[in-house]
Amino acid sequence: MALLVVLGYVWPEPASSAAGWRMLSLLELYRSQGWQVIFASAAERGPHRADLTALGISEVTISLNCSSFDRWIAELQPDAVLFDRFMLEEQFGWRVEAACPNALRLLDSEDLHFLRAARQQAFKEQRQLEPVDLHSELAMREIAAILRSDLTLTISEYEMALLQQQFQVPASQLLYCPFLLTLQLPLALPEFDERKHFVFIGNFRHEPNWQAVLWLQQIWPLIRAQLPGIELHIYGAYPPPKATALHNNKQGFLIKGWADDAHQVLRQARVCLAPLPFGAGLKGKLIDAMQNGTPSVTTAVGAEGMCLEGAFAGLVAEDNHSIAQAAVRLYQDEALWRASQQQGFAILQQKFAFEALQPGVWQQLEQARTNLSRHRAQHFIGAMLRQHQFRSTKFMGQWIEAKTKLAALEQLSGAEQQ
């Protein structure tokens, strides 16, 4: 049986973030092909993490900057290794190459971190994003990891184009792999007049979500003035005190915190209100809204990569007044609401259905794996980067390991002398 080892940045929390259920879909992709899957991480196990063992996936705790990983991975000799975000490729890529040179090395970018960071900086400085903003140290690190990897799973068509056009990443090193959804649309969704209020949902630890909540504070009075009595319900994992302090019953601005069932929450709301000021990749909250027949109001960044023939499952606006007007219009106009709902269903079926995407994604993965030498021979820059291997990363890891061992020996020696 073929073996995939996934090196996780965190343990997947599918109920907390889109990154969590995206990772589960990738694990299921390999499981559906009969592969054995091991998920390994050095992160702490959070309270909302998925029970991977119940899905037939082995869980292993590994250590950073420790040669015990080298021995472990060498014994396994996996057929493929998936790095969960570029930081894991930096940390473990050189170790995997040394111990398992014939393993297909995959990188799941989740979204482009340097793109999100550049947009965040432009937002902070209250200006438009410029192409030069993307030429950052973070971009150098992330694109170097992409070039060192055999294939990078790229979640957004926009990001596919950006990597190829602005950074000349070969198309043969990129694999378009958006959310892979097993669609089971509810048979009996609540109708327009059975739904009430607006909803926002998103992990508070994700900065774009927190900034969206702060922006909603400005927008909400404009909506509430036209829709008195209507409420905005804000849900998300890990709400900090600064978020719960925004709760205002009088204004109907309600910080709800953790949602036991995000789908039920979205199904009861009439409109998902998600004015995201920056970000990257695909937005899980908007996918969830589509699955529950809930049209959304968002920004161009929010809708990026999620339109079908230029149309989104709701309305797109960019400033306080326009967002408020779009929200009120979508909330009140039943014909527009129904059309937006149907557009959401079409987007799900045509852009994100597991059954439709899986054969093409799997064919590219297997083609690279079964022709690995030929595949790598096409990519000289990647080979060059692996040769130099960003030596600072490798030597830093070895230095930390040596320092840890020395500290342990000194502690032992001190104890013996006492």
Side-chain angles (χ1 to χ4, degrees), residues 10 14 82 108 125 138 147 170 173 184 193 218 242 256 289 310 338-340 353 395:
V10 294
L82 174 65
D108 182 27
E125 296 174 4
L138 187 62
L147 291 170
Q173 283 188 274
Q184 296 177 336
D193 56 4
Q218 303 173 35
K242 65 182 180 180
K256 298 281 192 173
R338 289 185 181 280
S340 298
F395 295 144

Side-chain angles (χ1 to χ4, degrees), residues 159-229:
E159 295 181 3
M160 286 280 289
L162 178 69
L163 289 170
Q164 292 175 70
Q165 295 170 12
Q166 187 159 340
F167 295 97
Q168 290 76 55
V169 175
S172 54
Q173 283 188 274
L174 300 174
L175 171 54
Y176 175 56
C177 183
F179 293 132
L180 304 174
L181 305 178
T182 302
L183 298 175
Q184 296 177 336
L185 298 178
L187 297 177
L189 285 169
E191 295 291 339
F192 175 84
D193 56 4
E194 296 175 310
R195 298 169 179 250
K196 195 175 183 181
H197 305 309
F198 291 87
V199 67
F200 173 86
I201 189 165
N203 191 320
F204 282 93
R205 289 179 175 174
H206 192 50
E207 187 63 18
N209 289 334
W210 171 237
Q211 292 299 330
V213 171
L214 294 178
W215 196 4
L216 283 167
Q217 258 202 312
Q218 303 173 35
I219 298 167
W220 183 244
L222 304 177
I223 298 173
R224 177 84 167 189
Q226 299 181 67
L227 299 173

Side-chain angles (χ1 to χ4, degrees), residues 62-132:
I62 54 177
S63 298
L64 299 175
N65 303 304
C66 183
S67 57
S68 62
F69 173 85
D70 305 354
R71 295 188 293 272
W72 174 74
I73 200 77
E75 289 177 5
L76 288 175
Q77 286 298 314
D79 299 274
V81 176
L82 174 65
F83 304 103
D84 174 22
R85 292 166 246 203
F86 80 92
M87 299 82 79
L88 271 292
E89 192 282 336
E90 287 184 329
Q91 177 70 226
F92 293 105
W94 61 272
R95 294 182 182 274
V96 170
E97 181 176 20
C100 315
N102 297 321
L104 178 70
R105 293 190 297 274
L106 303 171
L107 171 62
D108 182 27
S109 64
E110 292 287 349
D111 57 32
L112 290 179
H113 295 68
F114 75 85
L115 174 61
R116 174 159 37 88
R119 286 172 168 171
Q120 182 173 346
Q121 187 62 32
F123 168 79
K124 183 179 178 180
E125 296 174 4
Q126 298 183 322
R127 61 177 178 78
Q128 293 295 313
L129 180 74
E130 299 292 339
V132 69

